[in-house]
Amino acid sequence: MIPSLFIAHGAPLIAIENNEYTQFITQLGQSMPRPKAIVVFSAHWESTDQKVSEVDTYSTIYDFGGFDPSLYTIQYPAKGKLEIAKEIEDLFTQNGVPFQIETTRGLDHGAWVVLRLLYPNADIPVIAMSVNPNLTPEEQYKIGKSLAVLREKDILVIGSGGTVHNLRAVKWADNGEVDSWALEFDEWLSLHLKKWDLDSLFNYEKLAPNAQYAVPPYGNEHFVPLFYAMGAADDAKKATLLHRSFRYGNLSHSVWQFG
């Protein structure tokens, strides 16, 4: 059974950088069993109702500004797969998850940056999914859990975001040092993920050290894809940290495998 993944998409620059993190994601795509399709929950697609993409071929969305001009020439023309989108909609119906169908939206950089590193040929069908940061972590987990059966069919579920993502705190002049507050939060998170301690994780805002700084209320959309990806492995309840590093003082680059 294929695992689900949480992958930090970092700054858009990782799409053109060659470093420890980009090399790791590229190698991960080469070493994992090839999925039949990919379901990706991106932090950069927020919606009050769960959205499911029924798109034939995705356009590439450049939802960022002020970066290297070459970023705006990248294309990732992944195709969708209606059969799998319909299966997801059936699962949501069975599990009482309200949803809406989206037929035109392309892939934002939270999706295509990660997918392009994993599978550069854009030759695996993709079903793009929105996230709702206003739901409780338990509700987000439930949405992911309703898709757990897809893993038995070699469909890869990915949550793309960042465990520590406070753009007001990042230090673009990166000296390689990691802020202690960011590390303390991420280590607390790691401990409770490995225990599959849902009670603590669902209450991370009150229990985790520096939670309000690591996951600020205005930026929690980057954190919540973790719960969607985790829920998709509720049947296994196993979390493995595959990679963790930091850029710009506190922006986390972490990859978690669930299942």
Side-chain angles (χ1 to χ4, degrees):
M1 183 184 299
I2 200 165
S4 60
L5 297 172
F6 173 82
I7 303 178
H9 61 250
L13 286 169
I14 73 166
I16 57 173
E17 290 178 329
N18 180 16
N19 56 36
E20 174 193 3
Y21 188 52
T22 61
Q23 290 169 13
F24 175 82
I25 299 177
T26 298
Q27 180 59 39
L28 180 63
Q30 296 170 353
S31 62
M32 283 184 59
R34 182 178 172 85
K36 175 183 175 183
I38 303 167
V39 177
V40 57
F41 291 89
S42 171
H44 288 277
W45 187 9
E46 296 180 55
S47 176
T48 52
D49 290 318
Q50 180 63 55
K51 296 288 185 71
V52 182
S53 288
E54 291 186 6
V55 173
D56 181 33
T57 301
Y58 291 93
S59 60
T60 305
I61 302 173
Y62 309 103
D63 50 336
F64 47 81
F67 288 94
D68 189 307
S70 65
L71 281 172
Y72 304 91
T73 66
I74 294 174
Q75 298 285 320
Y76 192 80
K79 293 188 178 299
K81 188 144 187 160
L82 184 59
E83 171 190 349
I84 295 174
K86 292 296 186 185
E87 184 173 1
I88 289 169
E89 293 158 17
D90 288 344
L91 289 171
F92 282 158
T93 299
Q94 294 166 21
N95 288 277
V97 177
F99 66 90
Q100 294 180 354
I101 296 167
E102 169 58 52
T103 60
T104 60
R105 190 181 188 276
L107 294 177
D108 58 70
H109 84 273
W112 67 256
V113 166
V114 168
L115 295 177
R116 184 169 173 266
L117 288 170
L118 286 169
Y119 305 108
N121 295 327
D123 54 356
I124 298 176
V126 174
I127 311 299
M129 309 285 281
S130 65
V131 299
N132 183 355
N134 296 316
L135 295 178
T136 65
E138 188 172 7
E139 290 169 326
Q140 293 151 355
Y141 184 97
K142 176 188 173 183
I143 292 172
K145 181 179 177 180
S146 69
L147 303 182
V149 68
L150 297 179
R151 295 174 42 243
E152 299 176 4
K153 302 178 180 182
D154 294 328
I155 296 173
L156 175 62
V157 178
I158 297 177
S160 172
T163 57
V164 181
H165 187 275
N166 186 338
L167 293 184
R168 296 179 188 175
V170 297
K171 302 169 182 175
W172 295 108
D174 193 353
N175 63 4
E177 295 183 6
V178 181
D179 291 337
S180 59
W181 61 265
L183 190 58
E184 288 171 3
F185 174 84
D186 227 41
E187 288 183 342
W188 180 94
L189 181 64
S190 178
L191 174 66
H192 292 279
L193 283 172
K194 290 176 180 177
K195 292 180 178 179
W196 212 268
D197 179 3
L198 295 181
D199 287 341
S200 295
L201 292 166
F202 289 167
N203 289 283
Y204 77 91
E205 291 177 290
K206 295 179 180 179
L207 299 178
N210 314 307
Q212 294 300 308
Y213 208 47
V215 187
Y218 63 83
N220 70 328
E221 76 284 342
H222 275 73
F223 187 71
V224 301
L226 181 78
F227 292 120
Y228 292 87
M230 192 181 186
D234 178 78
D235 52 344
K237 295 182 173 61
K238 179 182 179 183
T240 305
L241 180 61
L242 301 182
H243 176 94
R244 183 176 70 183
S245 57
F246 290 86
R247 290 287 296 280
Y248 314 117
N250 50 65
L251 186 66
S252 65
H253 283 172
S254 55
V255 178
W256 281 93
Q257 175 178 296
F258 301 118

